[in-house]
Amino acid sequence: TGGSSRPFRVVLLGARGVGKTAIASIFAGAADNEVCEQTVTVDGEKATVTLVDNWDSEDEGGSSQDQCIQTGDAYLLVYSITDRSSFLKASELRISLRQHRPAHHTPIILVGNKCDLVRRREVSVNEGRVCAAVFDCKFIETSAAMQHNVWPAFHGIVQQLRLRRDTK
Ligand code: GDP
């Protein structure tokens, strides 16, 4: 079941330096590719996920950003808990997503990365949670450096994709 369906396309979005590449390389198993496909087992069922990490934060409003935003089945919206401006950027990106994908109930997880850097924290767990509630998406804090909660984030997005597929 599900094995023959096309891969889920999951796109990493977020400001420069928040840890998208670090998260992608955990998914890829160290390889540092902009696009990587893996089969993952979630709730006992296999799913193929294509992870896209080619967000160009310099291309403000440009066509490569548009393409990124339009082609995902689901999004990991990443900020760094040590960088408030990246948290604000995540909110802006959430709004762009809503504008580009108004008709879809697109699965999105707000990901607060670098949670290992406790003494440099600028965004509280509660702020992350509240923001996710306002933006109607899930929330998780991760540490790519400590390999903490990164796989649960991927599993969570697959679960959401399946829920959406099953209610279609
Ligand atoms: P990107 O620009 O979003 O792709 O960010 P990178 O993955 O290149 O990460 C930027 C910097 O943050 C690098 O020096 C990473 O080693 C570091 N980094 C990424 N994730 C974490 C994390 O969870 N904890 C810590 N302490 N550093 C991290």
Side-chain angles (χ1 to χ4, degrees):
T1 50
S4 59
S5 50
R6 76 174 177 86
F8 291 129
R9 190 173 171 88
V10 176
V11 177
L12 284 162
L13 298 181
R16 169 174 288 206
V18 296
K20 298 181 297 298
T21 309
I23 289 170
S25 41
I26 290 175
F27 179 82
D32 180 11
N33 299 328
E34 285 195 339
V35 178
C36 172
E37 193 170 294
Q38 292 281 359
T39 300
V40 294
T41 303
V42 180
D43 301 328
E45 190 187 339
K46 284 187 175 157
T48 307
V49 173
T50 304
L51 186 69
V52 181
D53 176 30
N54 60 5
W55 180 250
D56 179 2
S57 42
E58 304 297 295
D59 180 40
E60 197 69 53
S63 60
S64 84
Q65 285 199 353
D66 277 355
Q67 208 201 354
C68 235
I69 281 192
Q70 282 161 16
T71 59
D73 296 314
Y75 298 86
L76 293 173
L77 204 47
V78 187
Y79 67 94
S80 166
I81 66 136
T82 65
D83 176 5
R84 178 162 292 277
S85 69
S86 73
F87 183 60
L88 299 175
K89 185 70 202 173
S91 298
E92 279 175 34
L93 287 166
R94 178 68 186 93
I95 291 164
S96 306
L97 275 173
R98 185 169 283 164
Q99 285 167 346
H100 282 87
R101 319 278 311 250
H104 301 262
H105 202 80
T106 308
I108 298 169
I109 300 183
L110 182 66
V111 178
N113 189 42
K114 306 199 189 183
C115 71
D116 57 295
L117 297 176
V118 281
R119 297 176 67 178
R120 287 176 47 197
R121 182 184 281 276
E122 289 184 1
V123 183
S124 74
V125 180
N126 203 46
E127 283 177 286
R129 235 181 244 137
V130 167
C131 179
V134 167
F135 282 131
D136 189 27
C137 60
K138 301 267 184 195
F139 173 63
I140 193 168
E141 280 199 353
T142 59
S143 166
M146 307 296 280
Q147 306 226 357
H148 170 71
N149 262 355
V150 174
W151 282 107
F154 291 126
H155 288 190
I157 208 87
V158 169
Q159 285 168 332
Q160 281 189 61
L161 281 158
R162 283 182 182 153
L163 275 175
R164 199 182 66 129
R165 177 194 66 193
D166 295 344
T167 54
K168 254 193 208 161

PDB file of all heavy atoms in Angstrom, residues 15-23 53 113-117 142-146, ligand 1:
ATOM      1  N   ALA A  15      15.402  31.107   6.513  1.00  0.00           N
ATOM      2  CA  ALA A  15      16.490  32.063   6.330  1.00  0.00           C
ATOM      3  C   ALA A  15      17.827  31.343   6.226  1.00  0.00           C
ATOM      4  O   ALA A  15      17.957  30.183   6.640  1.00  0.00           O
ATOM      5  CB  ALA A  15      16.510  33.046   7.504  1.00  0.00           C
ATOM      6  N   ARG A  16      18.799  32.057   5.719  1.00  0.00           N
ATOM      7  CA  ARG A  16      20.152  31.497   5.613  1.00  0.00           C
ATOM      8  C   ARG A  16      20.713  31.219   7.019  1.00  0.00           C
ATOM      9  O   ARG A  16      20.521  31.999   7.944  1.00  0.00           O
ATOM     10  CB  ARG A  16      21.037  32.512   4.906  1.00  0.00           C
ATOM     11  CG  ARG A  16      22.500  32.171   4.972  1.00  0.00           C
ATOM     12  CD  ARG A  16      23.305  33.109   4.136  1.00  0.00           C
ATOM     13  NE  ARG A  16      23.066  32.831   2.725  1.00  0.00           N
ATOM     14  CZ  ARG A  16      23.952  33.109   1.765  1.00  0.00           C
ATOM     15  NH1 ARG A  16      25.100  33.671   2.073  1.00  0.00           N
ATOM     16  NH2 ARG A  16      23.680  32.822   0.519  1.00  0.00           N
ATOM     17  N   GLY A  17      21.374  30.083   7.139  1.00  0.00           N
ATOM     18  CA  GLY A  17      22.090  29.795   8.387  1.00  0.00           C
ATOM     19  C   GLY A  17      21.275  29.137   9.487  1.00  0.00           C
ATOM     20  O   GLY A  17      21.788  28.901  10.576  1.00  0.00           O
ATOM     21  N   VAL A  18      20.009  28.825   9.211  1.00  0.00           N
ATOM     22  CA  VAL A  18      19.167  28.245  10.276  1.00  0.00           C
ATOM     23  C   VAL A  18      19.405  26.750  10.456  1.00  0.00           C
ATOM     24  O   VAL A  18      18.997  26.166  11.464  1.00  0.00           O
ATOM     25  CB  VAL A  18      17.661  28.510  10.029  1.00  0.00           C
ATOM     26  CG1 VAL A  18      17.374  30.009  10.082  1.00  0.00           C
ATOM     27  CG2 VAL A  18      17.186  27.900   8.720  1.00  0.00           C
ATOM     28  N   GLY A  19      20.054  26.111   9.449  1.00  0.00           N
ATOM     29  CA  GLY A  19      20.360  24.683   9.587  1.00  0.00           C
ATOM     30  C   GLY A  19      19.669  23.784   8.576  1.00  0.00           C
ATOM     31  O   GLY A  19      19.605  22.568   8.774  1.00  0.00           O
ATOM     32  N   LYS A  20      19.192  24.359   7.464  1.00  0.00           N
ATOM     33  CA  LYS A  20      18.501  23.537   6.451  1.00  0.00           C
ATOM     34  C   LYS A  20      19.427  22.469   5.881  1.00  0.00           C
ATOM     35  O   LYS A  20      19.037  21.310   5.734  1.00  0.00           O
ATOM     36  CB  LYS A  20      17.958  24.422   5.314  1.00  0.00           C
ATOM     37  CG  LYS A  20      16.926  25.435   5.763  1.00  0.00           C
ATOM     38  CD  LYS A  20      16.387  26.273   4.609  1.00  0.00           C
ATOM     39  CE  LYS A  20      17.429  27.137   3.919  1.00  0.00           C
ATOM     40  NZ  LYS A  20      18.060  28.154   4.800  1.00  0.00           N
ATOM     41  N   THR A  21      20.658  22.882   5.561  1.00  0.00           N
ATOM     42  CA  THR A  21      21.602  21.914   4.992  1.00  0.00           C
ATOM     43  C   THR A  21      21.928  20.815   6.004  1.00  0.00           C
ATOM     44  O   THR A  21      22.034  19.639   5.643  1.00  0.00           O
ATOM     45  CB  THR A  21      22.904  22.636   4.566  1.00  0.00           C
ATOM     46  OG1 THR A  21      22.539  23.744   3.755  1.00  0.00           O
ATOM     47  CG2 THR A  21      23.816  21.718   3.783  1.00  0.00           C
ATOM     48  N   ALA A  22      22.074  21.215   7.251  1.00  0.00           N
ATOM     49  CA  ALA A  22      22.376  20.238   8.311  1.00  0.00           C
ATOM     50  C   ALA A  22      21.223  19.236   8.466  1.00  0.00           C
ATOM     51  O   ALA A  22      21.447  18.023   8.611  1.00  0.00           O
ATOM     52  CB  ALA A  22      22.640  20.969   9.627  1.00  0.00           C
ATOM     53  N   ILE A  23      20.003  19.730   8.391  1.00  0.00           N
ATOM     54  CA  ILE A  23      18.824  18.853   8.491  1.00  0.00           C
ATOM     55  C   ILE A  23      18.766  17.929   7.277  1.00  0.00           C
ATOM     56  O   ILE A  23      18.540  16.721   7.404  1.00  0.00           O
ATOM     57  CB  ILE A  23      17.540  19.710   8.626  1.00  0.00           C
ATOM     58  CG1 ILE A  23      17.501  20.362  10.015  1.00  0.00           C
ATOM     59  CG2 ILE A  23      16.280  18.885   8.361  1.00  0.00           C
ATOM     60  CD1 ILE A  23      16.424  21.414  10.189  1.00  0.00           C
ATOM     61  N   ASP A  53      16.283  20.879  -0.853  1.00  0.00           N
ATOM     62  CA  ASP A  53      16.987  21.909  -0.078  1.00  0.00           C
ATOM     63  C   ASP A  53      17.685  22.853  -1.039  1.00  0.00           C
ATOM     64  O   ASP A  53      18.906  22.905  -1.112  1.00  0.00           O
ATOM     65  CB  ASP A  53      18.003  21.244   0.874  1.00  0.00           C
ATOM     66  CG  ASP A  53      18.830  22.280   1.637  1.00  0.00           C
ATOM     67  OD1 ASP A  53      18.320  23.381   1.886  1.00  0.00           O
ATOM     68  OD2 ASP A  53      19.986  21.984   1.981  1.00  0.00           O
ATOM     69  N   ASN A 113      15.049  25.114  14.962  1.00  0.00           N
ATOM     70  CA  ASN A 113      16.296  24.338  15.019  1.00  0.00           C
ATOM     71  C   ASN A 113      17.318  24.997  15.968  1.00  0.00           C
ATOM     72  O   ASN A 113      17.131  26.109  16.421  1.00  0.00           O
ATOM     73  CB  ASN A 113      16.869  24.214  13.602  1.00  0.00           C
ATOM     74  CG  ASN A 113      18.043  23.256  13.528  1.00  0.00           C
ATOM     75  OD1 ASN A 113      18.015  22.178  14.139  1.00  0.00           O
ATOM     76  ND2 ASN A 113      19.088  23.629  12.831  1.00  0.00           N
ATOM     77  N   LYS A 114      18.373  24.261  16.239  1.00  0.00           N
ATOM     78  CA  LYS A 114      19.492  24.656  17.119  1.00  0.00           C
ATOM     79  C   LYS A 114      19.074  24.712  18.586  1.00  0.00           C
ATOM     80  O   LYS A 114      19.578  25.541  19.350  1.00  0.00           O
ATOM     81  CB  LYS A 114      20.120  26.001  16.692  1.00  0.00           C
ATOM     82  CG  LYS A 114      20.548  26.036  15.223  1.00  0.00           C
ATOM     83  CD  LYS A 114      21.553  27.132  14.945  1.00  0.00           C
ATOM     84  CE  LYS A 114      21.793  27.288  13.444  1.00  0.00           C
ATOM     85  NZ  LYS A 114      22.813  28.279  13.117  1.00  0.00           N
ATOM     86  N   CYS A 115      18.154  23.825  18.986  1.00  0.00           N
ATOM     87  CA  CYS A 115      17.683  23.872  20.370  1.00  0.00           C
ATOM     88  C   CYS A 115      18.758  23.415  21.359  1.00  0.00           C
ATOM     89  O   CYS A 115      18.580  23.506  22.566  1.00  0.00           O
ATOM     90  CB  CYS A 115      16.377  23.097  20.539  1.00  0.00           C
ATOM     91  SG  CYS A 115      16.543  21.320  20.413  1.00  0.00           S
ATOM     92  N   ASP A 116      19.892  22.941  20.837  1.00  0.00           N
ATOM     93  CA  ASP A 116      21.028  22.638  21.727  1.00  0.00           C
ATOM     94  C   ASP A 116      21.698  23.914  22.259  1.00  0.00           C
ATOM     95  O   ASP A 116      22.355  23.887  23.300  1.00  0.00           O
ATOM     96  CB  ASP A 116      22.071  21.787  20.972  1.00  0.00           C
ATOM     97  CG  ASP A 116      22.573  22.461  19.703  1.00  0.00           C
ATOM     98  OD1 ASP A 116      21.767  22.658  18.776  1.00  0.00           O
ATOM     99  OD2 ASP A 116      23.751  22.810  19.639  1.00  0.00           O
ATOM    100  N   LEU A 117      21.510  25.036  21.557  1.00  0.00           N
ATOM    101  CA  LEU A 117      22.195  26.279  21.942  1.00  0.00           C
ATOM    102  C   LEU A 117      21.362  27.050  22.967  1.00  0.00           C
ATOM    103  O   LEU A 117      20.929  28.181  22.731  1.00  0.00           O
ATOM    104  CB  LEU A 117      22.465  27.131  20.700  1.00  0.00           C
ATOM    105  CG  LEU A 117      23.402  26.499  19.661  1.00  0.00           C
ATOM    106  CD1 LEU A 117      23.535  27.385  18.429  1.00  0.00           C
ATOM    107  CD2 LEU A 117      24.785  26.240  20.272  1.00  0.00           C
ATOM    108  N   THR A 142      14.151  21.196  17.059  1.00  0.00           N
ATOM    109  CA  THR A 142      15.138  20.184  16.667  1.00  0.00           C
ATOM    110  C   THR A 142      16.554  20.685  16.970  1.00  0.00           C
ATOM    111  O   THR A 142      16.771  21.884  17.169  1.00  0.00           O
ATOM    112  CB  THR A 142      15.086  19.918  15.149  1.00  0.00           C
ATOM    113  OG1 THR A 142      15.339  21.147  14.465  1.00  0.00           O
ATOM    114  CG2 THR A 142      13.756  19.367  14.704  1.00  0.00           C
ATOM    115  N   SER A 143      17.473  19.758  16.986  1.00  0.00           N
ATOM    116  CA  SER A 143      18.891  20.113  16.936  1.00  0.00           C
ATOM    117  C   SER A 143      19.545  19.200  15.916  1.00  0.00           C
ATOM    118  O   SER A 143      19.720  18.002  16.156  1.00  0.00           O
ATOM    119  CB  SER A 143      19.558  19.914  18.299  1.00  0.00           C
ATOM    120  OG  SER A 143      20.968  19.954  18.101  1.00  0.00           O
ATOM    121  N   ALA A 144      19.872  19.782  14.766  1.00  0.00           N
ATOM    122  CA  ALA A 144      20.565  18.985  13.749  1.00  0.00           C
ATOM    123  C   ALA A 144      21.939  18.591  14.280  1.00  0.00           C
ATOM    124  O   ALA A 144      22.420  17.487  14.033  1.00  0.00           O
ATOM    125  CB  ALA A 144      20.684  19.781  12.452  1.00  0.00           C
ATOM    126  N   ALA A 145      22.565  19.482  15.055  1.00  0.00           N
ATOM    127  CA  ALA A 145      23.902  19.201  15.583  1.00  0.00           C
ATOM    128  C   ALA A 145      23.881  17.977  16.502  1.00  0.00           C
ATOM    129  O   ALA A 145      24.803  17.166  16.472  1.00  0.00           O
ATOM    130  CB  ALA A 145      24.430  20.421  16.334  1.00  0.00           C
ATOM    131  N   MET A 146      22.826  17.848  17.318  1.00  0.00           N
ATOM    132  CA  MET A 146      22.727  16.720  18.248  1.00  0.00           C
ATOM    133  C   MET A 146      21.898  15.579  17.662  1.00  0.00           C
ATOM    134  O   MET A 146      21.620  14.610  18.351  1.00  0.00           O
ATOM    135  CB  MET A 146      22.074  17.174  19.568  1.00  0.00           C
ATOM    136  CG  MET A 146      22.717  18.378  20.217  1.00  0.00           C
ATOM    137  SD  MET A 146      24.406  18.062  20.729  1.00  0.00           S
ATOM    138  CE  MET A 146      24.117  17.181  22.249  1.00  0.00           C
TER     139      MET A 146
HETATM  140  P1  GDP B   1      21.351  26.720   6.007  1.00  0.00           P
HETATM  141  O1  GDP B   1      21.910  28.000   5.465  1.00  0.00           O
HETATM  142  O2  GDP B   1      19.939  26.918   6.490  1.00  0.00           O
HETATM  143  O3  GDP B   1      21.467  25.555   5.075  1.00  0.00           O
HETATM  144  O4  GDP B   1      22.192  26.391   7.331  1.00  0.00           O
HETATM  145  P2  GDP B   1      23.363  25.311   7.544  1.00  0.00           P
HETATM  146  O5  GDP B   1      22.814  23.944   7.610  1.00  0.00           O
HETATM  147  O6  GDP B   1      24.436  25.582   6.580  1.00  0.00           O
HETATM  148  O7  GDP B   1      23.839  25.693   9.026  1.00  0.00           O
HETATM  149  C1  GDP B   1      24.421  26.954   9.327  1.00  0.00           C
HETATM  150  C2  GDP B   1      25.377  26.775  10.510  1.00  0.00           C
HETATM  151  O8  GDP B   1      24.651  26.383  11.679  1.00  0.00           O
HETATM  152  C3  GDP B   1      26.434  25.706  10.283  1.00  0.00           C
HETATM  153  O9  GDP B   1      27.627  26.154  10.865  1.00  0.00           O
HETATM  154  C4  GDP B   1      25.888  24.502  11.019  1.00  0.00           C
HETATM  155  O10 GDP B   1      26.902  23.656  11.487  1.00  0.00           O
HETATM  156  C5  GDP B   1      25.165  25.169  12.193  1.00  0.00           C
HETATM  157  N1  GDP B   1      24.029  24.356  12.683  1.00  0.00           N
HETATM  158  C6  GDP B   1      23.038  23.802  11.953  1.00  0.00           C
HETATM  159  N2  GDP B   1      22.165  23.171  12.748  1.00  0.00           N
HETATM  160  C7  GDP B   1      22.613  23.309  14.014  1.00  0.00           C
HETATM  161  C8  GDP B   1      22.125  22.872  15.292  1.00  0.00           C
HETATM  162  O11 GDP B   1      21.102  22.216  15.434  1.00  0.00           O
HETATM  163  N3  GDP B   1      22.862  23.250  16.377  1.00  0.00           N
HETATM  164  C9  GDP B   1      24.005  23.977  16.284  1.00  0.00           C
HETATM  165  N4  GDP B   1      24.661  24.261  17.406  1.00  0.00           N
HETATM  166  N5  GDP B   1      24.484  24.394  15.094  1.00  0.00           N
HETATM  167  C10 GDP B   1      23.805  24.075  13.980  1.00  0.00           C
END
